[in-house]
Amino acid sequence: MVEKEIDSLCSQYGLKPTNLSDLTLKVNFPDPDMEHGFSAEENSFYLSLYQELNAASSPPGEGYSSAYIQLVLDPEKVSSEYLADFFNNPLGLKIRKAWEARGFILRPEVRKADVPVMESTQASDLNGPAFFSEKSGFSEASPIAADDIAFEGKLSIESMCEGTWERTSVFSEAAVSPFPGILPIPNVDLDSLMHSKLYLPDLQVQLEVLKIKALTKELISQLSVFECRLSTYPKSITHIRKKLELIREAVKLANDSDYILELIRRGESKRLEFKSTLRMNLITGKPDWNIEHAVLKTIVAYLNTDGGILLVGVSNSGEVLGIKNDGFLSEDRFLLHFKQLIKQHIGLNYAPMIEYTLVPVNGKEVLEIDCKKSDEAVFLKPDKNDEEFYIRIGPSSERLTGSKLIEYVNRRYNGKSG
């Protein structure tokens, strides 16, 4: 699952997947006789063998070097600061969790008794021994793979990023550990770890990302000071508000675009579906009610189940097509047509539960439709004399009729068991 996400990322941005072996000149293991466990070498990356510890671009703190390996990186391919940031953020964390789940890293049981230390420095080139370990009791690999993190809609992705914000910083002087004392050395399948897939942009983009992150930190700091001073020194309020609104809109557009790409990478599910068009049959090249009906029934199914997101302008395979294929003269007319479909076939009384917006993605516009869970049964009305009821079952929308419809409505909305 993690490798599938990496492949999707590379496809979207026209890049090839890589691995640590391609980026690394030398691997060093910790030396207990050194103050920080490693000698200082240019462009070094310190990879934590414990999920809970940050990766770092500077030596780990005293007592924690045994939890790290040092990778001396090729300066023409990768920045150590960028790689540390990558492994401390959502996709990198998932890769690290997957390593442990697959048994590439087997952590020892942390014991209160004295932990034996290594007798000598061990270093390895990429063709050397595959395993590095201390003789001690080992716990089993974690049964929870990173792939198994459930997608719960927009909030889960945002909270994932928020969850890493406080504990992650490529600008810190050393990795920070929640563990007291000296950590035992994990058992590492170095060959498998070094050759597992990961995704990185080219070096120029990496350096630009680091600059933007530094500017972001500076901006956040300045905004905090400004917020404190605002009530006591409200100078040029209107001008400042307009400037802040421009900044907010620019950041929001960038976040929304990345968010849609993140959804596409995850693929269709019970709460996420893609539609190539709103009304156009791409085979016949003509507007088709069946295409509109497919969009509407997905919305109704989301309302009648647990909510969900529908992306219009994205193919089933995840290709971003945009809304141009629907043949509207303008984006406003496209949105007006969608609103009329909701009004005519679902009802404007349910509009507050159907939020929609156009999001720029890869130079094209995608319609994001975010549906909430309804507290009452919602029916699709293809015409004045017909009503249809849909729910989500897995990644598809299924119609209920007769006794199954009555049973579902009674159980869900009327609190009856049968």
Side-chain angles (χ1 to χ4, degrees):
M1 187 70 175
V2 173
E3 290 194 353
K4 181 180 178 182
E5 188 170 344
I6 293 170
D7 289 339
S8 178
L9 270 168
C10 292
S11 175
Q12 285 176 352
Y13 294 109
L15 298 171
K16 294 180 180 179
T18 185
N19 55 53
L20 289 174
S21 175
D22 292 337
L23 306 173
T24 304
L25 300 176
K26 183 170 62 172
V27 178
N28 294 320
F29 294 103
D31 181 349
D33 295 327
M34 292 186 177
E35 182 180 0
H36 296 291
F38 303 96
S39 61
E41 298 196 44
E42 288 292 324
N43 205 35
S44 286
F45 163 64
Y46 300 86
L47 177 62
S48 169
L49 302 177
Y50 285 79
Q51 296 175 28
E52 297 84 354
L53 297 177
N54 282 348
S57 57
S58 54
E62 185 178 353
Y64 299 115
S65 61
S66 60
Y68 287 83
I69 55 176
Q70 180 189 38
L71 280 63
V72 182
L73 304 173
D74 185 339
E76 295 183 358
K77 293 182 179 180
V78 63
S79 157
S80 60
E81 287 189 9
Y82 183 90
L83 196 60
D85 182 58
F86 174 85
F87 276 109
N88 290 332
N89 279 290
L91 181 57
L93 288 170
K94 288 174 71 174
I95 292 173
R96 290 167 61 187
K97 289 179 181 178
W99 286 344
E100 187 165 322
R102 293 171 185 172
F104 298 169
I105 299 174
L106 296 177
R107 67 171 71 192
E109 296 173 356
V110 180
R111 299 175 177 176
K112 292 183 179 179
D114 292 338
V115 178
V117 295
M118 295 174 58
E119 295 180 359
S120 61
T121 305
Q122 297 192 32
S124 169
D125 59 32
L126 300 184
N127 298 315
F131 286 90
F132 167 66
S133 65
E134 272 285 48
K135 293 182 179 179
S136 59
F138 291 94
S139 59
E140 296 181 358
S142 169
I144 303 176
D147 314 353
D148 298 331
I149 298 175
F151 167 56
E152 297 295 341
K154 176 175 267 188
L155 211 55
S156 70
I157 296 173
E158 291 178 347
S159 61
M160 185 193 300
C161 292
E162 289 169 2
T164 61
W165 182 259
E166 292 298 327
R167 65 181 291 272
T168 303
S169 173
V170 299
F171 304 104
S172 59
E173 293 183 359
V176 180
S177 170
F179 301 126
I182 298 175
L183 291 171
I185 303 168
N187 181 299
V188 182
D189 180 351
L190 185 63
D191 186 65
S192 295
L193 187 150
M194 295 296 290
H195 287 88
S196 59
K197 279 186 182 179
L198 60 92
Y199 149 83
L200 290 177
D202 61 42
L203 182 60
Q204 185 177 356
V205 174
Q206 295 172 33
L207 297 177
E208 188 64 25
V209 168
L210 290 173
K211 290 178 183 177
I212 293 173
K213 282 180 170 283
L215 284 173
T216 302
K217 287 188 68 176
E218 183 181 351
L219 179 60
I220 290 171
S221 176
Q222 290 177 356
L223 285 173
S224 296
V225 174
F226 172 74
E227 184 181 21
C228 292
R229 292 178 176 173
L230 185 60
S231 58
T232 56
Y233 191 63
K235 184 180 179 181
S236 305
I237 270 187
T238 302
H239 174 72
I240 291 171
R241 178 177 58 80
K242 289 180 179 179
K243 292 290 186 183
L244 288 174
E245 286 175 350
L246 287 174
I247 294 173
R248 181 188 64 186
E249 188 62 24
V251 172
K252 182 179 184 300
L253 284 174
N255 284 338
D256 287 350
S257 178
D258 286 342
Y259 167 62
I260 296 299
L261 289 172
E262 172 73 18
L263 292 181
I264 293 172
R265 288 193 292 271
R266 290 176 176 271
E268 294 182 306
S269 64
K270 183 179 180 181
R271 298 184 62 188
L272 178 64
E273 188 165 327
F274 309 149
K275 296 293 182 187
S276 295
T277 61
L278 177 63
R279 68 170 183 175
M280 191 66 70
N281 186 318
L282 295 179
I283 297 176
T284 65
K286 297 178 180 179
D288 189 335
W289 159 246
N290 291 318
I291 303 297
E292 293 176 330
H293 182 270
V295 170
L296 292 168
K297 81 174 185 180
T298 300
I299 293 172
V300 168
Y302 281 149
L303 296 174
N304 286 325
T305 315
D306 297 313
I309 294 173
L310 175 62
L311 301 180
V312 177
V314 179
S315 71
N316 289 337
S317 63
E319 180 185 359
V320 177
L321 303 175
I323 63 171
K324 290 291 186 182
N325 290 325
D326 275 302
F328 290 95
L329 295 177
S330 68
E331 294 175 2
D332 287 342
R333 292 197 178 188
F334 175 91
L335 292 173
L336 179 60
H337 183 77
F338 176 70
K339 182 179 179 180
Q340 287 299 115
L341 288 175
I342 298 297
K343 178 181 178 180
Q344 184 177 349
H345 300 289
I346 298 178
L348 285 182
N349 50 318
Y350 297 107
M353 290 177 283
I354 307 170
E355 298 179 357
Y356 59 93
T357 187
L358 289 174
V359 180
V361 181
N362 293 349
K364 301 174 183 178
E365 298 293 326
V366 170
L367 178 64
E368 178 194 359
I369 308 168
D370 192 349
C371 304
K372 310 302 179 187
K373 175 181 175 181
S374 175
D375 293 329
E376 59 183 62
V378 182
F379 290 83
L380 172 59
K381 306 172 184 65
D383 54 56
K384 293 181 179 179
N385 301 316
D386 193 15
E387 289 186 333
E388 299 171 354
F389 186 87
Y390 292 91
I391 63 170
R392 293 292 285 184
I393 299 179
S396 62
S397 302
E398 302 292 337
R399 185 178 180 182
L400 296 185
T401 60
S403 60
K404 290 184 178 179
L405 168 58
I406 295 171
E407 180 185 354
Y408 184 87
V409 171
N410 281 336
R411 183 177 68 250
R412 186 175 184 87
Y413 302 109
N414 300 331
K416 298 179 181 179
S417 58

